């Protein structure tokens, strides 16, 4: 993930998290829902996953005030089998249901070695990596997925069918933060197209298509994004998106991505009813924990020791974000000016105190 | 996957499968091992997965005669937990252990909803999709993975670290063959480089690198292949390869891909000791089977009904191979002349009768 410099402010994560929770609480959201959402957004922003960080607050506030998101959901947890648990999110914040899904799956995986948590009747849950990473901090290896509204053409197609359908994978690594993969199955998110329209710069090759399905680098001609792999190998990204859509719909009782209303409106009143899918593995039930840890450490060390292209370094998944996270722990998380102004607006309207921040020069 | 026309013969799958099994049996391989290998290879060839079909027989015969592959393995099945089973392959054919892994995981998934089968001390198992597809024909949704020897540079790297580490996903579809995704996490297999060297044609962009790690389209300059996603998004393919390597090594007790001896020799005497990783889900324990089946059918129908680019059709994963499989059920499976000559050579030496075949004009 390339980190982009943005004009904005910096604020301490420990101040922003309660501020975000307070905003949602003041808007009528239950404490546990608001805190789960704030936790995930600030976690993402702290780890340099800015597309899924505090930038999303205005988007969620639209859902809260519009009625899409149930402000006071009651989660229903159903043990479907010894290794399968379902969480009905009651149309509340996906973050709330997803953290709970990890906790419930962990209990089962402790007993059976592996467990699946399905989440249904949910909404957008931010970065899927927040939940797999949380599982890894508890000692589990986790795979997480969510489907989403149609923005991505299937390989060879001319109209969107899949969401950006991310796949996440997290593994505990002794003595450091978990290894974390958290990738959309499209090459780029659709908001990259909007950014390029604004800046008048062309898109990379083979990441977006026009209304006929032809690849285009013109952001103004681009109407959908394309699966990872491009013209030659997009059937791979398309196949991964299909896998994720199936696991998040047929196993959760939800419809597939193409059946969903657009996340970006104009209707923010109806629940979007999406599904998430998590697999948790308890490593100590497969190998002795010391052997498992040693294998993971040598994997990460050996990968990092690989020769890079001239001027490049080989990273393990999540390494670049780990470096940035350390910087942000000191300097605060960056919030772009447009988002910060929106947060100040919500705060003024809802009577919530804005935490201190410093201007972040670009 | 593009289907390439090859000069060779056609023979009926029902004749080739016992022929292949007889060849291995005559070479001293146990009946159950030989039959499992023949079953997987002919299955792959029948489904147009030619890179992992009968073409591999000479490669396996090198392993059998060289000592890499244990001809008479004893599988050891250990239930690690209620949803986790490990199969020690005893350095025998990976196909034998992998079919068994599906059977064992299925028994557990029947009870707990989901099960993982890990396979250790294994060898090359052909196409991973043979096993996930087998699971789907029994009614399970399956994810399968294997790691392999280093042929793929990590993103930004100048030397191979990962195997082509395939990911497979199979789902039962009412009234038709299972939906099947079976993809390497590199854009191309290394043997594509060899083919392009032979034909003097350039490689696609950003699928192979030279000895400095720079992308090259010159097959003679290419020394390694690259993860799917190319220059811009290869960190996604690289991340998937890392996930698969970790699940197939740290969970199975094997070393990661970079620690393995080259599959292509020159040493064919030592066991290669690789791991495979399978996840089986029992759909009826998550949703009613009628609802699950209806969701899968509508997913597949809706996807196929999507508008294509001019002149193109949108397919569900595995659709192209399903069409070709029907043709091959009538016309026989194609075997290239080089492979067929090798099989005739083995047959003559081992006293096995060659099945009838017809010349397949290019």
């Amino acid at each position: 993930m390339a980190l982009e410099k943005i004009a904005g402010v910096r604020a301490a994560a420990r101040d922003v998290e309660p501020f975000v929770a307070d905003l949602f609480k003041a808007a009528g959201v239950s404490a546990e829902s608001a805190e789960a959402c704030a936790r995930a957004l600030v976690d993402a922003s702290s780890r340099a996953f800015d597309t899924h960080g505090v930038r999303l607050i205005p988007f969620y506030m639209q859902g809260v005030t519009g009625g899409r998101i149930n402000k006071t959901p009651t989660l229903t947890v159903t043990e479907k089998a010894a290794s399968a648990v379902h969480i009905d999110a009651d149309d509340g914040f996906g973050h709330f249901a997803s953290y709970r899904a990890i906790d419930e799956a962990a209990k089962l995986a402790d007993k059976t070695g592996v467990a699946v948590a399905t989440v249904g009747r949910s909404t957008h849950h931010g970065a899927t990596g927040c939940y797999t990473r949380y599982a890894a901090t508890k000692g589990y290896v986790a795979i997480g997925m969510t489907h989403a509204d149609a923005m991505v053409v299937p390989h060879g197609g001319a109209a969107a069918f899949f969401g950006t359908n991310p796949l996440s994978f997290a593994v505990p690594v002794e003595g450091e933060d978990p290894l974390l993969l958290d990738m959309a199955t499209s090459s780029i998110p659709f908001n990259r197209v909007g950014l390029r329209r604004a800046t008048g710069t062309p898109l990379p090759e083979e990441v977006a298509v026009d209304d006929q399905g032809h690849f285009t680098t013109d952001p103004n001609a681009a109407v959908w994004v394309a699966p990872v792999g491009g013209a030659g190998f997009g059937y791979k990204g398309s196949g991964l998106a299909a896998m994720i859509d199936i696991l998040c719909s047929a196993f959760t009782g939800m419809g597939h991505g193409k059946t969903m209303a657009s996340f970006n409106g104009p209707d923010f009143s109806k629940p979007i009813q999406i599904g998430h899918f998590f697999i948790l593995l308890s490593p100590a039930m497969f190998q002795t924990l010391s052997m498992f840890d040693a294998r993971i450490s040598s994997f990460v060390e050996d990968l990092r020791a690989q020769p890079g292209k001239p001027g490049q370094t080989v990273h393990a998944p999540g390494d670049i974000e780990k470096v940035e996270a350390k910087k942000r722990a000191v300097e605060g998380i960056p919030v772009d000016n447009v988002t910060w102004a929106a947060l100040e607006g919500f705060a003024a309207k809802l009577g919530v105190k804005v935490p201190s921040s410093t201007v972040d020069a670009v």
Side-chain angles (χ1 to χ4, degrees), chain A residues 71-125:
Chain A
K71 290 182 273 201
T72 54
T74 303
L75 300 184
T76 307
V77 177
T78 310
E79 205 170 302
K80 296 273 190 168
S83 295
V85 61
H86 181 75
I87 288 91
D88 180 303
D90 195 19
D91 297 318
F93 274 128
H95 324 69
F96 178 43
S98 295
Y99 281 120
R100 179 68 177 270
I102 298 299
D103 286 333
E104 296 296 335
K107 282 188 237 168
L108 301 186
D110 283 347
K111 287 182 279 187
T112 66
V114 54
V116 165
T118 53
V119 182
R121 292 212 302 139
S122 190
T123 61
H124 196 276
H125 74 179

Side-chain angles (χ1 to χ4, degrees), chain A residues 102-170:
Chain A
I102 298 299
D103 286 333
E104 296 296 335
K107 282 188 237 168
L108 301 186
D110 283 347
K111 287 182 279 187
T112 66
V114 54
V116 165
T118 53
V119 182
R121 292 212 302 139
S122 190
T123 61
H124 196 276
H125 74 179
T128 307
C130 292
Y131 316 105
T132 55
R133 186 178 176 281
Y134 168 56
T137 63
K138 291 165 62 112
Y140 302 91
V141 170
I143 297 172
M145 307 170 187
T146 188
H147 63 164
D149 58 331
M151 302 289 273
V152 181
V153 290
H155 189 61
F161 183 82
F162 294 119
T164 50
N165 295 7
L167 175 70
S168 179
F169 176 66

